[in-house]
Amino acid sequence: MYMRSDPSMGLISKIQQHLPLSVHVSLSPQGQSLLCALLFSTLLWLSLILTLRFSLKLLLSYHRWMFETHTHMSHTTRVWGTLLRLLSSGKPLLYSYQTSLPHLPVPAIKDTLSRYLQSVRPLLSDLEYHRMTELASEFESSLGNRLQRYLKLKALWATNYVSDWWEEFIYLRSRGPIMVNSNYYGMDFLYVTPTSVQAARAGNTITALLLYRRKVNREELKPSRVPGTVIPLCAAQCERMFNTTRTPGIETDVLQHWQDSEFVGVYHKGRYFRLWVYHAGRLLTPREMEFQVQRILDDRSEPQPGEDRLGALTAGDRYDGGAGDKLPSCTWDSHNSIQTDVH
């Protein structure tokens, strides 16, 4: 307006021509120009973001670098690495690259059947392998092609066409024990021991986990990358790292996720305690955590009826071995949650 130049090459004027009549009446020519410039800059900003994400997605779809040694890179891979560094520079948030990661490709049905036959060959006799080859060819020409089309259709909108099936049928429908097979745990083992007081170590551990959870929620963690490269890895596993539990069911379990949790569970001598970690919206200090844990250690109350045996249900299979009936075991699954075990 003041420099008498139009960086939009006439687009702002075209936007101004298509403004509603009410806007023309209510705004002055100067106000109309400012509104059109704002609309143009917003559209330009969105276009640049989408172009950047699409370009990054195309670059991340290049896989030839996996099969080249570091000392004998092709010129194509070197140019690709340079462009990838330019587009992925800056200070990205934890989930910044999620929309730019390429979708998991669907393998060709011929390749899948070939790998399957190769894997079962040592397990079958010549006659059985010949029969299996005929079944594979029959499957490919009939049902296989139809299922392949469905799979490709799903891969168009799903970033990973197999992740939801894997979670349900391999993880949630598994009837094996939760302990060892699914649960993970953390220990405060360090080469430097600042204190031998059990309550203080527990307070430090709880505080460290909650501070890490805060970084996850605020996306302050740097995205994981392939070691030695700038290639980002998927960060979907961080979304339900905390505040998530697995509710048992007869045939399949259900994952429940909460946006926030204000307490942790503490197990001590057969008793479960709820330890609050916030006060008036403020995270408790390690010293305040230690004070609460110490009160639990000093508590001499007896467990409630059956409370000290709840842990045995987590260690068993999710069915009644005698009757053979599927039963939901009353487990407290610490998968993706915080649990402090004070002995």
Side-chain angles (χ1 to χ4, degrees):
M1 186 181 303
Y2 298 103
M3 298 182 66
R4 303 296 180 181
S5 64
D6 185 5
S8 69
M9 294 180 292
L11 289 177
I12 292 179
S13 300
K14 290 184 178 181
I15 295 175
Q16 190 171 359
Q17 293 173 5
H18 291 83
L19 288 176
L21 182 61
S22 57
V23 176
H24 282 286
V25 174
S26 59
L27 291 179
S28 63
Q30 192 176 24
Q32 294 176 22
S33 299
L34 288 174
L35 177 61
C36 295
L38 179 62
L39 290 174
F40 169 77
S41 59
T42 303
L43 292 174
L44 179 62
W45 178 69
L46 292 175
S47 301
L48 288 175
I49 289 179
L50 293 176
T51 303
L52 178 63
R53 289 183 177 179
F54 181 73
S55 302
L56 191 58
K57 195 167 190 174
L58 287 179
L59 288 173
L60 292 174
S61 300
Y62 176 79
H63 297 146
R64 187 176 171 183
W65 63 272
M66 297 182 184
F67 309 101
E68 298 181 359
T69 59
H70 185 70
T71 55
H72 296 85
M73 275 190 204
S74 63
H75 293 294
T76 305
T77 302
R78 293 180 186 275
V79 173
W80 166 80
T82 303
L83 292 175
L84 188 60
R85 285 188 180 88
L86 291 175
L87 292 180
S88 60
S89 60
K91 297 181 180 179
L93 300 177
L94 178 61
Y95 303 117
S96 293
Y97 296 116
Q98 289 302 103
T99 56
S100 300
L101 296 176
H103 291 194
L104 182 68
V106 179
I109 189 170
K110 283 185 175 293
D111 296 339
T112 302
L113 292 175
S114 175
R115 287 193 296 268
Y116 171 73
L117 292 175
Q118 185 179 2
S119 65
V120 300
R121 183 63 185 95
L123 306 176
L124 303 176
S125 63
D126 293 341
L127 184 61
E128 291 172 335
Y129 181 72
H130 179 70
R131 173 60 177 162
M132 187 62 67
T133 305
E134 292 179 346
L135 290 175
S137 300
E138 181 182 347
F139 173 78
E140 180 184 355
S141 59
S142 57
L143 181 61
N145 281 324
R146 188 173 66 182
L147 294 177
Q148 185 79 353
R149 287 194 295 269
Y150 292 152
L151 208 57
K152 288 182 178 179
L153 185 63
K154 182 183 179 183
L156 291 177
W157 57 267
T159 55
N160 189 322
Y161 66 90
V162 76
S163 59
D164 54 343
W165 292 336
W166 178 273
E167 182 177 274
E168 179 180 357
F169 295 101
I170 304 301
Y171 178 63
L172 295 177
R173 285 181 180 262
S174 173
R175 302 293 87 188
I178 297 299
M179 272 174 48
V180 180
N181 294 320
S182 297
N183 276 14
Y184 67 85
Y185 56 89
M187 302 177 66
D188 69 332
F189 174 77
L190 297 172
Y191 292 107
V192 178
T193 304
T195 177
S196 59
V197 179
Q198 187 183 31
R201 293 171 70 95
N204 286 330
T205 302
I206 296 172
T207 304
L209 286 169
L210 292 172
L211 291 176
Y212 185 82
R213 184 184 71 166
R214 178 185 292 176
K215 288 187 175 182
V216 171
N217 293 339
R218 295 179 178 178
E219 301 185 31
E220 294 176 352
L221 297 176
K222 294 182 179 179
S224 299
R225 301 178 186 271
V226 176
T229 70
V230 294
I231 303 170
L233 297 174
C234 181
Q237 69 272 12
C238 298
E239 296 175 357
R240 294 180 297 187
M241 185 178 294
F242 297 97
N243 316 330
T244 306
T245 190
R246 174 174 168 172
T247 303
I250 295 178
E251 292 185 356
T252 180
D253 298 346
V254 179
L255 284 179
Q256 289 184 313
H257 178 76
W258 289 266
Q259 293 301 318
D260 194 12
S261 179
E262 298 182 349
F263 64 90
V264 298
V266 180
Y267 178 75
H268 176 243
K269 291 187 176 180
R271 303 165 302 169
Y272 292 92
F273 294 86
R274 178 180 294 184
L275 191 154
W276 297 96
V277 295
Y278 289 97
H279 178 69
R282 176 186 62 84
L283 178 64
L284 299 183
T285 63
R287 184 68 181 87
E288 292 169 326
M289 298 278 192
E290 175 192 356
F291 177 75
Q292 293 201 78
V293 173
Q294 189 61 50
R295 288 188 61 185
I296 293 175
L297 293 173
D298 297 337
D299 192 302
R300 302 303 177 191
S301 61
E302 294 295 325
Q304 297 295 319
E307 183 181 10
D308 56 340
R309 295 176 174 84
L310 283 175
L313 297 176
T314 308
D317 291 336
R318 278 166 142 69
Y319 62 88
D320 185 357
D325 297 330
K326 302 268 183 171
L327 294 175
S329 29
C330 301
T331 63
W332 176 17
D333 179 12
S334 63
H335 170 71
N336 296 343
S337 61
I338 302 175
Q339 178 177 349
T340 300
D341 191 0
V342 182
H343 297 284

